[in-house]
Amino acid sequence: MAANEKGDRGGPRIGVFTCHCGVNISQTVDVEACRDFAAQCPNVVVSQDYKFMCSNTGQELIQRAIEEHSLDRVVVAACSPLMHEPTFRSACEKAGLNRFLFQMANIREQCAWVHDDRQMASAKARALINAAIRRVALQEPLQPYETKINPATLIIGGGIAGIQAALELAEANQPVYLVEREPTIGGKMAVFDKTFPTLDCAACILTPKMVSVSHRESIRLRTMHEVEEVAGHMGNYRVRLRRRQRYVDVDRCTGCGQCISHCPATRIPSSREIIRDGRVMTEVTRDPASGRKVARSFDPTMLHPDASSRSGPEDYSSGVVSDEEISKDLQKFEQPRRGGPSPMQRYLRLVRAQSKMSEEQVERRRTGDCTGCGFCAEICDGLVGATAIRMASIGKDERGKDQMRPFLVSLDACIGCGACATVCPTGFLTIRDRADDKGRIRDFALGNHSAIYLPFPQAVPKVPVIDAESCIHLQLGEGCGVCHNVCEPEAIRFGQQEEIEEIEVGQILVATGYQLFDASSIPQYGHGRLDNVISSLEFEAMLNSTGPTGGHVRMKNGEEPRAIAIIHCVGSRDDNHHRYCSRVCCMCGLKFAHLVKDRTSAEVYQLYIDMRAFGKGYEEFYSRVLEEGVNIIRGKAAEVVEQRFGDMSEGILHVRCEDTLIGKFRDIPVDMVILCNALEPDADTERLGNILGVSRSPDGFFLERHPKLDPVGTVSDGIYLAGACQGPKDIPDTVAQAQAAAARILSTITKGSVMLDPIKATIAHESCSGCRICNSLCPYSAISYDPEESVSTVNVTLCKGCGTCVAACPSGAITGAGFRDDQILAELEGILV
Amino acid sequence: MAEKPKLAMYWAAACGGCEISILDIEEHLLDVDAAFDLAFFPCIADFKTKDVEAMPDKSITVCLFNGAIRNSENEYMAKLMRQKSVVLVAYGSCAAEGCIPGLANFYDKKSIFDFAYKESPSTVNPEGKVPVPRTQMPEGEIEIPEFWDTVKTLNQVVDVDYYIPGCPPQSDQAWAVIETVVDILQNGKELPPAGTVLGAGNKTCCDECPRERKEKKIKKFVRPYEIIPDPDTCLMEQGLVCCGPATRDGCGAKCVKAGIPCRGCYGVPAGVSDQGAKMVAALASVIDSEDPEEIERIIDGIVDPAGTFYRFSLAASTLRRVQLESLRPAAAASQEK
Amino acid sequence: MAWEPKIVAFLCNWCTYTGADLAGVSRIKSPANIRSIRIMCSGRMDPTFIVKAFALGADGVLVSGCHPGDCHYVEGNYKALRRVHLMKRLLRDLGIDPRRLRLTWVSAAEAEDWAKFTTEFTETIRELGPLQLVEGSGTLVSATAGNGN
């Protein structure tokens, strides 16, 4: 211990405490030399070292020294201030010293741990200590601001993490805003059929929670909402939410589903085609530049024989269908009065009247051939109002009757709504998602396919949503309106606009989850190019009983696959894509293997790099799946190649890989390949991070405050993380983190108020000349100008203490408490001399 | 009758404007004469250095020292005046912060001599002679002051009690200071603390500027000849590089009132240590761009930023001068070899 | 002892200081020539600190903050960007190689980038050699002298 009698001349009395941190610091930095160096620095009256300064004993040592030596300033040379500054500040406070008369020298993270040369590192440590001593001498007591905590919490993301946290907070009767950008909560878990390793039915464990969310009074559910702006600070955030249009009034809708069963349009995102008799009649895509729908057709035989030389809706009359008949049609499909049968209902009745069809028509219907009924043309004309299809004769049958077939009369008129396909009783006309063609199942294809739809049957809120791109009325600005007409509670709102809502909350939980890595960026696997190469979430949708195949494992052609390969680490543990392990895919792949075995007689091949079964019950599940006869091949798949023979409707997929356990190349022929795609940060992560002031790790996921000691917090006080938005996670870990975050939030709410750092800017009016340089700089508009006095003023409640104005002030009138110019310059001098 | 206090005014590297500013107090000169004995004032009366050298130390009550320290004679005189004076005042921008002579710190002795005595178009000097301190002539040795590489401010060579800024100081301010000094001397009042800036305010030029100021966002800088500035709007907001925000007030904002941007002669405001760096901080902050290339283009509009921001204060600035050629690493390295 | 560059780094609290800490936690080595001063935002960076650092004997000055768009205080880093651009002109005119001043963006997660930038910058300064402003000690001023605020 080195002490001397300085500071008697009225100068500050500084104590310097240097930490060995076990051997963490002392193995690279000569701590004793640092202690002796500090002892002879100006104003230092005591300089001590200790093994673990942050321990209780270490803190007591500091407190004792403060009392014994009447210290009025303390320097601790140890780890980063981001680590233990609060610890030591509190220790000072306990000994009666203002917590801001304290300074840390970071000789661990930014010195001992990053340097090898003991001499250089020790010299740097001394410089850092010297800087802290000079700085602390100029520090002044500051008083933290107390701020009340608004008990309301904003939870961003309504997946399992957000739901769990919301329920925990609601259990304590605290208000929650649960914001979800999709029409329903549930997130990715809602797509799953079973969960590993227990094979619980995902819906069975998730649905009750979702329903519970809708029943809790303290949870204000905001689906189809996105966070647009966040202002304020811990305890008092002001948040702007933007609501996208659902076109259905959530409060009025009873969830009866009448609208869905009557909707004639088919929901397909962006790019679709109408197929007539197996060939493309029109292809409708969205022009990315104008945002408008563009219809194209390449097949002149699809065009109406009489319309081929004409174009536009005025070409209404044709020799085949007389004007009189058309006007009769129009009358037939005139919009009914409220309460009467809708045009759609009338169509359905007509379809039911198919029993009156002739023998030949019945046969045609069975084979998918056109019966010439003309429903397609009628609905296109009468209900949709597009008049894109009309019937024309392709010749007489044996009885001398015209054989009528639908033809395209106007390319411009077709909006690809699919109403014609909906009413077609035979399947002669169908609508198809162009992107659906190869492998991909867009939108995970749960729920029904009408333009007004419920994302899946258990959706919460159980309120349908209209897909504006597919809705006839919203596309044309008129026409159809079937849903509106059948809706008893009058909940349809075609005129709905985006809306902004401002809410006030005290804390924010980010639970925005992940998105799936796009496997088409690994072209050798053929996702999006080869039929029957599908992603993990697409396969989850297929396994789901409400999914496109009703839970059956099927190839594109509807047949059951004979062999399936499951490829692990698609985009994970890959230097070209994501270096991290996505953590869930091994178990997910095993789950798929089990379910395939369970539901089909297919052979299953797992291609893995390392099998990571780390969780509770996971290794046991792995053993179980092995026993079920799944082929486990250690090796990364090199490529998937399709081979076709003759008229095979589906090619055979060859998966090529090196089996590293037997040291041989293998070529495994399968019918279907399931890719275990990496989990990656949601595309909105960067934008949201900027809004919230939360950083991201190199992998792009949100960065926690500390990987071990604070995996729930962020650097922004009052903002927390839960679930896969912080990194790939399985459901148990996600739920655990959500509960942890809820506990953190509740503890702050219970405390009622928090102390905020008084690092704020102030303007000395006696020096301010009102040049107004600072006025436009403040990102929080905390600086206002008083033209009467010709001075600017900082509103301390808005100021966040960044110091931009302090640096800019050309007259030196602005002072930044805690980071004053003279303090920083003293540190600079200490570091350099 | 008690002896009157003695007043001295000396010029070092200066233009003479400071003396004029004193003479511009007009009829108050009579008051000065009534209150002081002139001990040394080479501009208006014939005094010799040896007269001063012969005076007892601290026999001059107040010395107004103007001009920068350019050569050995300036430095000698500064030390002499310090020794003989009770109160030494750095009068005017040159003594206080180097001023226009201080701009020579963008060069060094050699480059200045080369240009002034050899390379300038009007010079005919085939033998390439440059001044040297001692020259042997048939009549004997001639000695002239030695020229330094670096122009210094008065306080860089001697302790200075007070500063009166301005190029030159405004006469009314000069008179006000003298009046205060007379009051202090005659009524036995306490002197202000050493280092005080007299004859100026504690704010910046903007405080005296009558132009209307708004929030600033600058997309383009212009030079004064390029625009006819709006008479009522802040010049900086019109794109002119006005040093007013980083310049001490006290001048009455005469330049800006005449439509000419402040050149910064009243020096750094209280609380600021480096006028140029502060101008960078302030001006760069209000540039309206976030694109590095556009920022470069906008900055291109500021012709000679260092010369503009440090027009009066280079010698007193943190870095004081351009790094000397002899100290540049390349030169240093070659010397080692 | 051979000459070693002295480099001062002004780091914003939220991104680069945290990133430099992470480099420590991850034991990613970097030269001991870099000594950092923590400021809340790179927007707090007053060019006065830069001239003072050079005057006090620094051979290089590094300013580092959050990536554009990522600033914890919305746009403080853009102010740093503009100031550094203009400051480089000033340094050039004062005969100081503008490469002695560097602005980087290092996020809280980019520990490897931090080590890379500091190593690179130290090498740059090593190549440029010592910045000597006056004969002798190399320091020109006392930081605490003069008016501070």
Side-chain angles (χ1 to χ4, degrees), chain B residues 9 17-26 28 64 66 90-94 163-179 197-201 205 208 247-257 262-267 312:
Chain B
M9 184 160 190
C18 285
E19 276 77 6
I20 306 295
S21 78
I22 287 286
L23 298 182
D24 271 353
I25 64 175
E26 297 167 351
H28 292 306
L64 303 178
N66 73 84
Y91 186 90
S93 176
C94 290
Y163 301 85
I164 300 179
C167 181
Q170 293 303 302
S171 298
D172 54 333
Q173 293 278 23
W175 168 241
V177 172
I178 294 168
E179 214 177 13
V197 175
L198 303 171
C205 185
E208 298 177 317
T247 301
R248 193 184 277 271
D249 62 335
C251 60
K254 288 199 165 65
C255 302
V256 285
K257 282 176 185 163
C262 170
R263 296 146 53 89
C265 76
Y266 260 62
F312 294 90

Side-chain angles (χ1 to χ4, degrees), chain A residues 80 110 690 777 812 821 832, chain C residues 6 21 36 44 70 79 149:
Chain A
S80 168
Q110 296 193 22
N690 290 341
L777 303 184
D821 282 357
L832 284 169
Chain C
K6 276 187 182 177
D21 272 0
S36 53
R44 176 68 183 89
D70 276 355
K79 283 139 198 163
N149 189 37

Side-chain angles (χ1 to χ4, degrees), chain A residues 256-265 342 344-345 348 352 422 448 450-453 464 482-483 486:
Chain A
C256 68
Q258 284 290 310
C259 50
I260 296 169
S261 54
H262 287 86
C263 177
S342 76
M344 193 59 206
Q345 284 169 307
L348 291 172
R352 277 187 219 109
T422 307
N448 34 56
S450 45
I452 184 164
Y453 67 102
V482 169
C483 51
V486 297

Side-chain angles (χ1 to χ4, degrees), chain A residues 80-91:
Chain A
S80 168
L82 304 181
M83 180 86 194
H84 269 312
E85 192 175 63
T87 313
F88 291 117
R89 279 183 169 172
S90 301

Side-chain angles (χ1 to χ4, degrees), chain C residues 73-147:
Chain C
Y73 301 104
V74 189
E75 52 188 24
N77 48 5
Y78 286 114
K79 283 139 198 163
L81 172 75
R82 302 198 284 260
R83 289 178 192 144
V84 166
H85 272 271
L86 187 50
M87 198 60 207
K88 278 174 176 279
R89 302 278 178 109
L90 209 68
L91 291 178
R92 183 196 63 195
D93 292 355
L94 289 169
I96 295 175
D97 195 311
R99 285 174 293 175
R100 291 187 186 273
L101 171 63
R102 182 154 179 205
L103 175 71
T104 60
W105 313 125
V106 174
S107 82
E110 292 169 341
E112 286 177 21
D113 287 351
W114 169 248
K116 197 179 101 206
F117 286 145
T118 49
T119 309
E120 270 174 25
F121 189 55
T122 309
E123 279 319 301
T124 306
I125 299 300
R126 205 181 287 282
E127 279 162 28
L128 290 174
L131 173 67
Q132 253 192 304
L133 296 173
V134 286
E135 311 263 9
S137 74
T139 62
L140 192 52
V141 291
S142 158
T144 35
N147 297 309

Side-chain angles (χ1 to χ4, degrees), chain A residues 765-773 775-777 785 790-791 806-812, chain B residues 202-204 206-207 213-217 236 245-246 269-272 278 281-282 285-286:
Chain A
H765 284 179
E766 61 274 20
S767 311
C768 175
S769 303
C771 70
R772 305 196 67 181
I773 294 268
N775 286 193
S776 61
L777 303 184
Y785 177 70
S790 180
V791 287
V806 185
C809 178
S811 63
Chain B
N202 286 316
K203 293 195 173 187
T204 67
C206 298
D207 195 53
R213 292 182 289 274
K214 297 197 184 74
E215 289 194 6
K216 294 175 175 42
K217 278 192 182 323
M236 188 184 274
V272 172
K278 259 306 173 197
S285 298
V286 294

